[in-house]
Amino acid sequence: MNRFKASKFRYTEARLPRREAWIGGIRAGSVTSCGNHVKASCRWIAFNAEAAGVLGIVPLECEGGGKRTVSQLCCHSDVVTDFDFSPFDQLLLATGSADEMVKVWRLPESGQDMPGSAGLTLGSVGGPVDVLLFHPTADGVLASGAGKRVTVWDAGQQQPLTALDSHGDQLQSLAWKGDGRLLGTSCKDKKLRLFDPRAGPAAFQSVPGHENNKDSRLLWMGSSDCLISVGFSQMREREVKLWDTRRFNGAMLTMALDTSPSAAIPLYDADTGLLVLAGKGENLLYCFEVAPAQPALTQVTQCRTEGSTRGLAAVPRLALDVMACEVLRVLQLTDTALVPVSYLVPRKSNQDFHEDLFPDCAGTLPATGAQAWWAGDNQQQVGRVSLHPARRPTETFSSPVITCTLPQAADTSSTEPDADRSEDSSYSLPSSPASLSASTGPSSGFASSPSQKSLQSILGPSSRFRHTQGRVLHRDTHLTNLRGLSLTTPGECDGFCTNHQRVALPLLSAGGQIAILELSKPGRLPDTAMPTIQNGTAVADLSWDPFDPRRLAVAGEDAKIRLWRIPEGGLQETLREPEAILQGHTEKIYSIRFHPLASDLLVSSSYDMTVRIWDLSLGRETLCLRGHTDQIFSLAWSPDGKKLATVSKDGRLRLYEPRRSPLPQQEGPGPEGSRGARLVWVCGGNYLLVSGFDSRSERRILLYRAQALPEGPLSVLGLDVAPSTLLPFYDEDTSVVFLTGKGDTRVFIYEVTPEPPYFLECNSFTSNEPHKGFVFLPKTACEVRDVEFTRALRLGQSSLEPVAFCVPRVKKEYFQDDIYPPTRVWWEPALGGSAWLAGEDGQQRRISLRPTNMTPVSEAPKEAPARKFVPASVYLEEKSDEQKKEELLSAMVARLGNRDDPLPQDSFEGVDEAEWD
């Protein structure tokens, strides 16, 4: 393309398929890595499934009546960070993982089981694998990036050829030159480097790339001397740069895309010069034509998809529909589907092969082998083949790296705990993504199977709450027209608090004002000013007394705790004087929590690194716990009220018995990330669930045994990547935990069990807009007749909405006693605060939630299932089309009646002559 000649791709259009053409019924994983999360060969598509260490495998083309079989490949013991198909052997797949291993797999022909173990294991690379890339001309040469090192492997010999160690920070991408001579890298130290791996381990050229160290990508433009890089500018704008390695002192062209914060995934087709860009988490696909000779980047088209992008891959040119003028096809990985997006050039005739659109492309026969390439063989290049359907080669290449063997059944007698396992899911994909609601289990990467045996073998145990449905209640129950809400509450605060009678909402106005709203008076709030609590200083945290619904404790940034008493019926005038003020902390307070069993006891944590327990009846501090070395993120009382657990910024969990010692009884490792964490007691107080971040800012939950904190977590489950800390709520009656963050739109739901796999996934709840807070009501607020087992309040932009979580049941007329065990009488204290401080313990009584006029479902009369007999002839009889047509005509005639019968008017008699007068 030049400035005087029109491009043949200027009218290229991106065509989105109908839902029927989507590859649906999948559960994509949210992996924090530099990979594309989906790759394709001419035979298979591989994508990151939801379970750690598992890839989803699906055929590229439909077979057997348009149905695709989705299989899973259990690759590693930790998250699969990147993977790549061989450009020559369409069945050869390399995988890298956070378990520091690189493995090579030979996938089967269609219709066969996935391999039970890797064909090759290349050993540890000294850190989590970040990127993987096969060599473009030599069979069996593979480059892997881990940390600051690039390793070039001879896969056939399972030995490294060289290690490139010139990087100053973590690698972000690799790019081979089209002729295989050079290797380019982008790095977190903001530099682009060029290597000749056979000449030496040091970079022979380097240049500052993008000014921001966020995720950057590098692509080589075929066998030319030009590069494409995608990254962020100093002003955090996404940008694309063109480079010429012959003048590698600066970019030839820089083009700003937009100000989106998400990393862009680039795909470049060297035969057409088309560049496709998509941001992770976005639904917009850009398409540019690249002309390095000008230099120029010309936007060809852009399209908006239905789902957000989790990953992006280009389909090989040999798999394109050339007779439909399809010049490029990309696969968009979303949460629940793989969407093929075709780029078509409109032509008058689709009967002819258009050679100008489809020049010869690289074939599937390698130019050389690994040892020959390493010895310096540069003469041979990969042969080019025609895309014309009549001249397209039919031979396939099978790499000798892994010998081609028939798949063998897995040895069920094996007892090795770390053995690689893989099972094939033998179900066909549903036609609608709605069927995803049947998916269960945290390790499931796919939709549910109609075969229960297959389901259990793939997903393992399932939760009885897996079909939980969250729904926003009718608008008549909402509190609307909320204005001036505070958005500056600390991360340790839930944002607002509620009990069964009223809600306390911090406001943005000066003086730390707090609005008190009665739940019994829903509707639109007046536009005029309402009475509030004048706290006098900004609110850090607030909490209702569980045993006194009129007492509100408010922690301020002035290191004081104020106790406020709300009049009966709610606020009628502004409150300016608190009931009591607690002083003792020397720095700003993080959080406050009432004791779950004893009245008049409150615990608080502060920037002064102390945790203090207050006796409210005396208005003074009684205990002070020490031992923290950094900010205290969260604290939680055990259900029996004997112990107190904390998690802090120093990455440590601490367990206290306050009445025995002011120092921690146990310490253990907490979440790696330092952005925030929360903790809650689960499973009868024997375990601790902690939500936090890993070193790559992925949100995850960790489960600890309370009596063995130094041993570390029993289980770790990664959820997604988001900036806000997950706030957990645990329902002790059902062992279900709800997790969401401020600014999120999704609520994760898991049943927690003390046995593996520990977390059983349930249906999540998604709202239309981000919520500012999500707080749960007491158990007695649930409507048991609707099988509602939890109710929450969702704080939106200007409204407070009740959200009910129900379990679908057939016999709703019965009380579901398997879901509603006797619950604690939470509003009655088991003992007084002074008694607890003196060493006494108590236990709250329990009551049943069953209404008097409902029968427990366990006592419901057993109904014999009605068996409908269907004659075997209905299934065995096969009729021809002619027989069916004859039967249809006969049935129509029978409905119309016999046409030979006389008409009614034929039986009428004539008019009498006398009647004419």
Side-chain angles (χ1 to χ4, degrees):
M1 184 184 76
N2 59 54
R3 58 183 297 187
F4 302 109
K5 183 179 179 181
S7 168
K8 56 190 172 186
F9 300 109
R10 65 187 182 279
Y11 296 124
T12 299
E13 59 176 297
R15 186 167 298 176
L16 297 174
R18 294 180 299 177
R19 281 184 173 266
E20 290 78 8
W22 292 12
I23 305 173
I26 66 174
R27 299 284 296 279
S30 58
V31 179
T32 308
S33 71
C34 301
N36 287 9
H37 309 305
V38 58
K39 293 287 180 69
S41 72
C42 292
R43 303 292 292 276
W44 294 103
I45 303 170
F47 62 91
N48 279 109
E50 191 175 39
V54 177
L55 290 182
I57 306 292
V58 61
L60 178 65
E61 301 296 340
C62 297
E63 294 181 6
K67 295 182 179 179
R68 287 181 172 92
T69 299
V70 181
S71 305
Q72 63 172 347
L73 183 67
C74 297
C75 307
H76 295 269
S77 60
D78 207 337
V79 174
V80 180
T81 51
D82 199 15
F83 47 94
D84 193 29
F85 279 102
S86 167
F88 312 115
D89 189 337
Q90 306 302 310
L91 306 178
L92 209 63
L93 176 68
T95 61
S97 168
D99 64 6
E100 305 183 6
M101 304 295 287
V102 176
K103 298 181 181 181
V104 183
W105 308 76
R106 177 173 293 283
L107 303 185
E109 299 288 344
S110 58
Q112 298 176 345
D113 293 339
M114 288 292 128
S117 59
L120 294 174
T121 299
L122 301 183
S124 176
V125 294
V129 179
D130 296 309
V131 285
L132 278 179
L133 194 63
F134 272 105
H135 195 277
T137 64
D139 178 45
V141 177
L142 178 67
S144 66
K148 303 178 183 180
R149 170 180 292 188
V150 177
T151 305
V152 181
W153 298 87
D154 180 350
Q157 300 295 324
Q158 302 184 46
Q159 295 293 331
L161 295 174
T162 185
L164 315 177
D165 291 320
S166 299
H167 302 89
D169 208 329
Q170 183 178 348
L171 278 162
Q172 293 177 329
S173 69
L174 300 175
W176 285 105
K177 190 176 180 180
D179 59 12
R181 301 187 183 196
L182 304 179
L183 179 68
T185 66
S186 66
C187 182
K188 199 172 182 180
D189 63 4
K190 309 177 191 177
K191 287 188 177 182
L192 306 180
R193 293 175 174 84
L194 300 182
F195 295 85
D196 185 346
R198 295 173 294 183
F204 69 89
Q205 278 186 299
S206 66
V207 65
H210 298 271
E211 296 176 346
N212 197 301
N213 64 359
K214 290 183 67 176
D215 192 9
S216 64
R217 301 294 181 92
L218 186 67
L219 298 174
W220 214 298
M221 298 179 62
S223 298
S224 71
D225 295 313
C226 297
L227 294 162
I228 300 172
S229 68
V230 181
F232 291 84
S233 69
Q234 190 174 11
M235 303 302 295
R236 299 185 180 180
E237 290 182 320
R238 286 196 301 197
E239 59 184 10
V240 182
K241 291 188 177 185
L242 298 185
W243 307 82
D244 189 337
T245 58
R246 296 164 297 186
R247 297 179 295 275
F248 207 46
N249 54 353
M252 294 190 296
L253 175 70
T254 300
M255 186 185 75
L257 279 179
D258 49 36
T259 57
S260 173
S262 60
I265 303 175
L267 300 175
Y268 178 72
D269 180 24
D271 292 328
T272 60
L274 295 180
L275 172 68
V276 176
L277 295 169
K280 291 183 180 180
E282 300 176 3
N283 62 349
L284 189 64
L285 300 182
Y286 295 96
C287 182
F288 296 90
E289 185 174 5
V290 185
Q294 300 301 316
L297 269 173
T298 306
Q299 183 166 341
V300 174
T301 184
Q302 69 179 32
C303 71
R304 195 172 295 275
T305 59
E306 289 190 33
S308 299
T309 301
R310 281 188 178 269
L312 202 69
V315 172
R317 289 187 64 77
L318 289 170
L320 298 179
D321 185 0
V322 295
M323 300 310 294
C325 295
E326 183 186 36
V327 295
L328 183 63
R329 189 194 311 168
V330 299
L331 297 171
Q332 182 202 26
L333 177 66
T334 67
D335 288 333
T336 59
L338 280 163
V339 183
V341 181
S342 294
Y343 288 85
L344 308 176
V345 176
R347 290 292 171 93
K348 291 182 179 179
S349 173
N350 285 340
Q351 304 298 321
D352 301 324
F353 176 73
H354 299 275
E355 295 188 5
D356 60 324
L357 296 179
F358 301 102
D360 292 352
C361 69
T364 58
L365 296 178
T368 185
Q371 291 300 318
W373 173 81
W374 182 245
D377 183 4
N378 289 326
Q379 302 304 317
Q380 299 183 7
Q381 295 298 316
V382 176
R384 303 187 73 82
V385 297
S386 173
L387 292 177
H388 194 291
R391 301 195 297 269
R392 187 174 298 185
T394 58
E395 70 273 9
T396 59
F397 173 76
S398 180
S399 175
V401 169
I402 300 178
T403 56
C404 184
T405 58
L406 293 176
Q408 299 177 356
D411 184 6
T412 57
S413 64
S414 173
T415 59
E416 295 182 11
D418 297 329
D420 292 305
R421 302 178 305 278
S422 180
E423 299 178 47
D424 187 23
S425 60
S426 58
Y427 53 87
S428 57
L429 298 183
S431 58
S432 170
S435 62
L436 287 171
S437 61
S439 172
T440 58
S443 60
S444 169
F446 317 98
S448 58
S449 164
S451 167
Q452 185 64 25
K453 182 177 180 181
S454 174
L455 180 69
Q456 290 296 331
S457 65
I458 295 173
L459 305 181
S462 59
S463 170
R464 56 182 169 165
F465 301 97
R466 61 188 179 275
H467 300 305
T468 295
Q469 298 173 351
R471 60 183 178 88
V472 178
L473 299 185
H474 192 272
R475 188 174 178 83
D476 290 346
T477 63
H478 298 187
L479 285 162
T480 59
N481 197 33
L482 304 180
R483 297 184 298 173
L485 299 177
S486 175
L487 303 178
T488 59
T489 53
E492 293 77 21
C493 175
D494 291 345
F496 71 104
C497 67
T498 183
N499 58 22
H500 63 293
Q501 293 183 2
R502 49 186 63 92
V503 179
L505 291 166
L507 300 179
L508 190 61
S509 53
Q513 295 188 37
I514 303 170
I516 305 296
L517 307 178
E518 299 294 316
L519 292 177
S520 59
K521 300 176 183 178
R524 179 183 173 86
L525 298 182
D527 294 331
T528 57
M530 297 179 58
T532 60
I533 292 177
Q534 298 282 350
N535 192 58
T537 185
V539 176
D541 197 13
L542 66 173
S543 180
W544 289 104
D545 188 336
F547 312 120
D548 186 350
R550 294 171 50 202
R551 181 158 65 176
L552 177 69
V554 181
E557 293 188 354
D558 59 356
K560 298 178 182 179
I561 301 174
R562 293 169 174 83
L563 301 179
W564 300 88
R565 181 160 296 278
I566 310 302
E568 287 287 349
L571 281 183
Q572 304 299 327
E573 58 182 4
T574 298
L575 286 183
R576 291 183 172 84
E577 293 298 326
E579 183 181 56
I581 298 179
L582 307 178
Q583 302 184 56
H585 285 295
T586 58
E587 299 287 346
K588 173 185 171 182
I589 296 174
Y590 294 128
S591 52
I592 53 176
R593 297 288 185 272
F594 278 94
H595 196 280
L597 301 179
S599 60
D600 295 326
L601 276 185
L602 182 73
V603 63
S604 61
S605 61
S606 165
Y607 274 86
D608 59 16
M609 310 302 174
T610 64
V611 175
R612 301 174 190 251
I613 297 176
W614 309 82
D615 186 343
L616 303 187
S617 61
L618 302 176
R620 62 181 177 84
E621 170 195 329
T622 57
L623 296 172
C624 181
L625 310 180
R626 304 184 183 277
H628 297 91
T629 60
D630 207 335
Q631 178 181 353
I632 304 168
F633 283 142
S634 178
L635 50 82
W637 288 104
S638 61
D640 59 10
K642 298 179 181 179
K643 299 178 181 179
L644 186 71
T646 67
V647 58
S648 58
K649 193 173 182 179
D650 58 9
R652 305 293 291 174
L653 285 177
R654 293 175 174 86
L655 190 63
Y656 291 86
E657 289 193 33
R659 293 175 295 184
R660 291 190 177 184
S661 172
L663 297 177
Q665 178 195 29
Q666 289 187 68
E667 286 194 32
E672 299 175 8
S674 59
R675 298 177 58 179
R678 288 294 185 96
L679 82 166
V680 65
W681 293 79
V682 298
C683 299
N686 296 319
Y687 295 83
L688 278 168
L689 185 145
V690 181
S691 65
F693 297 84
D694 67 0
S695 58
R696 299 187 178 190
S697 298
E698 180 187 26
R699 296 197 294 190
R700 51 176 52 190
I701 52 178
L702 307 91
L703 187 67
Y704 295 82
R705 210 154 52 86
Q707 299 302 321
L709 292 186
E711 296 178 4
L714 291 173
S715 180
V716 179
L717 179 64
L719 297 182
D720 61 0
V721 178
S724 59
T725 305
L726 286 169
L727 311 179
F729 168 79
Y730 179 72
D731 179 21
E732 62 182 7
D733 293 341
T734 59
S735 294
V736 173
V737 64
F738 300 80
L739 302 118
T740 189
K742 298 178 189 176
D744 287 3
T745 58
R746 182 179 181 183
V747 179
F748 298 94
I749 306 175
Y750 290 92
E751 182 180 357
V752 186
T753 65
E755 300 88 18
Y758 302 109
F759 300 112
L760 303 180
E761 186 181 16
C762 307
N763 282 345
S764 58
F765 168 75
T766 305
S767 55
N768 294 327
E769 62 173 3
H771 37 253
K772 300 176 184 293
F774 209 93
V775 175
F776 286 79
L777 289 164
K779 191 78 171 184
T780 49
C782 298
E783 179 55 66
V784 297
R785 297 181 186 275
D786 294 332
V787 200
E788 176 188 342
F789 69 97
T790 312
R791 180 175 294 191
L793 292 178
R794 176 187 172 275
L795 181 61
Q797 189 72 26
S798 60
S799 64
L800 195 65
E801 307 168 347
V803 181
F805 293 91
C806 306
V807 178
R809 289 291 173 95
V810 176
K811 299 180 179 179
K812 287 188 176 181
E813 65 273 17
Y814 294 100
F815 175 70
Q816 311 294 321
D817 50 352
D818 60 326
I819 290 180
Y820 299 106
T823 191
R824 284 191 307 109
V825 182
W826 50 266
W827 58 91
E828 294 180 0
L831 70 168
S834 57
W836 183 87
L837 291 168
E840 297 182 24
D841 292 317
Q843 189 174 0
Q844 290 173 317
R845 64 187 181 93
R846 293 180 175 269
I847 60 169
S848 173
L849 295 177
R850 179 171 70 90
T852 55
N853 58 348
M854 289 187 74
T855 304
V857 70
S858 59
E859 301 175 8
K862 305 295 182 182
E863 297 180 2
R867 185 175 180 181
K868 183 178 179 181
F869 175 75
V870 180
S873 59
V874 172
Y875 300 104
L876 298 177
E877 183 180 3
E878 294 185 1
K879 300 177 182 179
S880 64
D881 292 342
E882 290 297 328
Q883 289 176 315
K884 294 177 182 178
K885 187 183 298 183
E886 187 67 31
E887 287 183 3
L888 181 60
L889 289 174
S890 300
M892 293 174 63
V893 170
R895 294 190 65 180
L896 291 173
N898 192 343
R899 288 175 290 180
D900 295 334
D901 293 341
L903 297 173
Q905 55 266 37
D906 293 341
S907 61
F908 291 169
E909 297 181 0
V911 181
D912 190 86
E913 292 293 336
E915 295 182 10
W916 289 105
D917 297 334

